[in-house]
Amino acid sequence: MESILETKLQELKNLTIEIGDLGAVSSILGWDQATYMPTGGATARGRQIGLIQMLSHQRLTDPKLGKLLDDLRPYEESLPYDSDEAALIRVTRRNFERAVKVPTEFMYQMSMHLSDTYTAWVEARPANDFARLAPMLEKTLALSRQAAEYFAPYDHIADPLIDMSDYGMKTESVRALFAQLREQLVPMVQAISEQPIADDSILKQFYPVDQQRAFGEQVIRRYGFDFNRGRQDTTPHPFMTRFAADDVRITTRFSERDFGDAFFSTLHEAGHAFYELGIDPGYDATPLGGGTSAGVHESQSRLWENIVGRSRAFWEFFYPPLQAAFPDQLGKVSLDAFYRAINKVQRSLIRVDADEVTYNLHVMIRFELEAQLLEGTLAIRDLPEAWHARYQSDLGLRAPDDRDGVLQDVHWYGGLIGGAFQGYTLGNLLSAQFYQQALQAHPNIVEEIRCGEFKTLHHWLRDNLYVYGSKYTAPELIQKVTGGAITIEPYLAYLRAKYGELYSL
Ligand code: ZN
């Protein structure tokens, strides 16, 4: 009996690897589209990606897979919850049950539509042309509602969409967490804004791209990025994507007039890559072989970008080599002035350029607007003005146009509306919770960072977080690592300590 079930388990694993490989093919096509493909390839590429996603969805919803999962249920129940075999069956079943609710034809239509919308956005954003995108966005909203309806009943229409990226979270739980955070952040931002604004003009000098790239690669290599298992290319909107256990791609964008833009996005995407590269290689291409949620993923990008990469200890080591790389720009600038410049807090219009203190306010605006669009309490035609109104009330600013307003983020133009933004703030909160645990286990980590050593931190994260891939859900993993649930306190303590010192609060 046992051996029949083991054969079935192997069959299940083989099927999931085929699905995983189709997913990787789709990711390669997407990566090429964003990096090297000439614009002329767009229509065919949309079709090709749509086809691969349809094939993948067909396999994931194949009744043969459902039958295998049923047959394996007693076997799963006989195994410890923590075993890899039980996890493979459990996670495959979750994906299967989710996928069968959505018709393949819908997936295909959605993929084609989103590809067209993305292509239009690439042109419409610089042209400040929301009107051109509005009809497409109407359709995206209808598709997003339809996607949610497949999972009815729900408490809130955004719940199924949130569940797809941050399993276990709901509109209500996110709203509650955000409300607590907002209550603490607003007075902090207010207190900082009453002080003189930090001078970051040193970062806006001319920084040649080649030297920027070399310096960024030097730092992530020191973090532990293995260029035999990954590479970095350039795109307008930086991202990380995984093709296999030993092949991840990160992208960045360079601005000759802004040192921070490419450098911190390089650290950010490297953090995402470390998560993927640290997963048990035995899980490769199976449903366990990927990060467990958007929020946990983002915790790793923010940890390496901000908690480590914007810390004083980090720059005590890296500032001298940075000055050597850019002697004309930084040779006469003190470490303290540089540290203040990269941690400048100021209310601003662009989420991706926002500092650690104001960043989450940008996320909350988007999360609320998404929820309202889905609820039907906000219409697409009123979205640009609703955006401006929220920026005015929450950040005291109004963008001069839609380019730096509602058109600034790719998410609604390349994906569904709903479930797209909460992961950023969940990630910020978790970055501090996980880092706190790492420091408790190894109080010498800060001293090591001061010496440009990252092994203890990197290995602790790998052994306690990365290695598990999607074996545990995000709430399970957070419980396992921190002994509790997601909470705002460690993040607030981190902000208070760092910015309290910087701004003598
Ligand atoms: Zn990220």
Side-chain angles (χ1 to χ4, degrees):
M1 187 63 188
E2 179 109 351
S3 72
I4 295 174
L5 289 171
E6 276 167 6
T7 310
K8 282 185 189 285
L9 181 67
Q10 191 55 50
E11 229 179 294
L12 180 84
K13 193 171 180 184
N14 294 345
L15 283 177
T16 65
I17 288 174
E18 286 181 6
I19 297 165
D21 281 343
L22 282 170
V25 169
S26 170
S27 299
I28 294 165
L29 294 176
W31 171 85
D32 174 70
Q33 181 176 35
T35 50
Y36 296 108
M37 188 192 79
T39 51
T43 306
R45 186 54 52 88
R47 201 179 61 231
Q48 291 153 358
I49 292 176
L51 174 65
I52 298 292
Q53 288 181 347
M54 186 177 70
L55 290 174
S56 160
H57 191 258
Q58 274 170 356
R59 283 184 188 231
L60 184 54
T61 55
D62 190 339
K64 200 168 104 189
L65 185 61
K67 173 82 170 53
L68 266 176
L69 287 165
D70 283 345
D71 293 349
L72 283 164
R73 198 181 281 275
Y75 186 45
E76 179 193 354
E77 282 162 4
S78 75
L79 294 166
Y81 187 85
D82 281 1
S83 76
D84 287 349
E85 292 78 11
L88 178 68
I89 301 168
R90 184 168 68 236
V91 177
T92 306
R93 178 176 293 114
R94 191 161 65 226
N95 294 350
F96 174 79
E97 285 173 352
R98 188 180 277 164
V100 292
K101 291 187 172 160
V102 184
T104 300
E105 179 57 23
F106 174 85
M107 296 294 293
Y108 183 71
Q109 292 301 333
M110 182 183 82
S111 159
M112 295 285 284
H113 171 70
L114 295 179
S115 171
D116 289 347
T117 310
Y118 173 79
T119 307
W121 172 78
V122 170
E123 287 172 7
R125 188 192 171 201
N128 189 36
D129 190 359
F130 180 80
R132 178 178 163 193
L133 295 169
M136 304 180 99
L137 215 47
E138 298 272 5
K139 187 171 173 193
T140 306
L141 181 58
L143 289 169
S144 307
R145 285 208 185 105
Q146 180 65 53
E149 284 315 321
Y150 292 129
F151 297 89
Y154 43 70
D155 294 334
H156 187 282
I157 187 169
D159 288 355
L161 304 169
I162 294 171
D163 200 68
M164 285 175 205
S165 46
D166 286 295
Y167 182 80
M169 297 299 289
K170 289 182 165 199
T171 310
E172 198 188 332
S173 50
V174 174
R175 275 181 171 154
L177 208 54
F178 284 11
Q180 286 174 30
L181 185 61
R182 194 186 158 82
E183 208 182 293
Q184 304 293 321
L185 283 179
V186 169
M188 201 186 290
V189 171
Q190 185 57 38
I192 292 173
S193 68
E194 282 161 8
Q195 304 207 21
I197 296 170
D199 179 7
D200 65 349
S201 57
I202 50 164
L203 303 175
K204 314 290 178 188
Q205 304 173 84
F206 176 69
Y207 287 89
V209 166
D210 287 347
Q211 278 114 292
Q212 283 194 53
R213 183 184 290 110
F215 185 75
E217 290 189 359
Q218 178 193 337
V219 171
I220 60 171
R221 199 169 259 130
R222 192 105 197 174
Y223 267 180
F225 190 88
D226 178 355
F227 280 86
N228 293 314
R229 301 176 66 207
R231 54 176 289 136
Q232 176 170 255
D233 297 270
T234 52
T235 43
H237 203 94
F239 63 88
M240 183 280 310
T241 183
R242 170 197 174 112
F243 301 157
D246 294 313
D247 185 359
V248 299
R249 307 300 171 91
I250 59 174
T251 68
T252 189
R253 59 166 172 225
F254 291 97
S255 160
E256 283 183 332
R257 289 269 157 204
D258 187 347
F259 168 76
D261 203 3
F263 181 74
F264 291 106
S265 100
T266 297
L267 303 191
H268 181 102
E269 301 308 332
H272 282 302
F274 294 145
Y275 189 2
E276 294 295 329
L277 290 168
I279 294 171
D280 186 333
Y283 297 167
D284 196 24
T286 77
L288 306 183
T292 193
S293 75
V296 174
H297 234 301
E298 196 66 9
S299 77
Q300 294 315 298
S301 53
R302 300 299 270 180
L303 189 153
W304 290 104
E305 174 196 0
N306 287 337
I307 296 185
V308 179
R310 289 182 203 265
S311 70
R312 202 185 282 271
F314 174 97
W315 287 105
E316 280 175 22
F317 181 81
F318 279 113
Y319 194 53
L322 182 70
Q323 284 180 303
F326 300 102
D328 296 342
Q329 296 88 338
L330 297 171
K332 294 193 175 66
V333 178
S334 71
L335 169 61
D336 192 61
F338 180 78
Y339 176 66
R340 282 172 187 280
I342 59 166
N343 288 298
K344 172 186 174 180
V345 176
Q346 187 179 23
R347 292 175 172 133
S348 65
L349 291 167
I350 308 291
R351 175 184 62 87
V352 294
D353 297 337
D355 58 82
E356 291 178 280
V357 185
T358 58
Y359 185 91
N360 297 297
L361 299 175
H362 292 258
V363 173
M364 291 174 198
I365 292 173
R366 288 154 178 77
F367 181 79
E368 236 0 272
L369 292 174
E370 278 186 336
Q372 290 171 14
L373 287 168
L374 288 164
E375 286 164 5
T377 52
L378 174 64
I380 293 290
R381 66 172 179 280
D382 299 326
L383 179 61
E385 196 43 50
W387 182 287
H388 291 312
R390 281 299 302 260
Y391 264 80
Q392 190 72 59
S393 69
D394 291 21
L395 289 151
L397 296 166
R398 189 188 165 96
D401 54 25
D402 293 331
R403 204 171 34 163
D404 288 342
V406 71
L407 294 175
Q408 69 176 264
D409 292 307
V410 65
H411 305 62
W412 294 337
Y413 307 99
L416 292 179
I417 296 173
F421 285 103
Q422 78 287 331
Y424 292 111
T425 288
L426 301 179
N428 284 328
L429 299 177
L430 290 170
S431 68
Q433 280 187 266
F434 293 144
Y435 189 66
Q436 188 185 50
Q437 295 300 319
L439 285 185
Q440 261 169 34
H442 300 284
N444 57 325
I445 281 174
V446 178
E447 272 320 301
E448 289 189 10
I449 292 174
R450 215 183 295 284
C451 303
E453 290 297 331
F454 303 94
K455 273 204 186 74
T456 304
L457 176 60
H458 197 149
H459 289 179
W460 186 89
L461 290 165
R462 186 191 63 196
D463 298 343
N464 291 280
L465 265 148
Y466 303 166
V467 68
Y468 297 120
S470 292
K471 178 172 179 170
Y472 300 110
T473 64
E476 287 169 349
L477 185 69
I478 297 163
Q479 178 72 39
K480 194 172 163 63
V481 176
T482 70
I486 185 167
T487 156
I488 65 169
E489 280 314 321
Y491 188 64
L492 281 171
Y494 159 73
L495 289 183
R496 284 199 190 102
K498 180 172 175 178
Y499 293 92
E501 187 236 294
L502 271 165
Y503 286 92
S504 342
L505 295 179

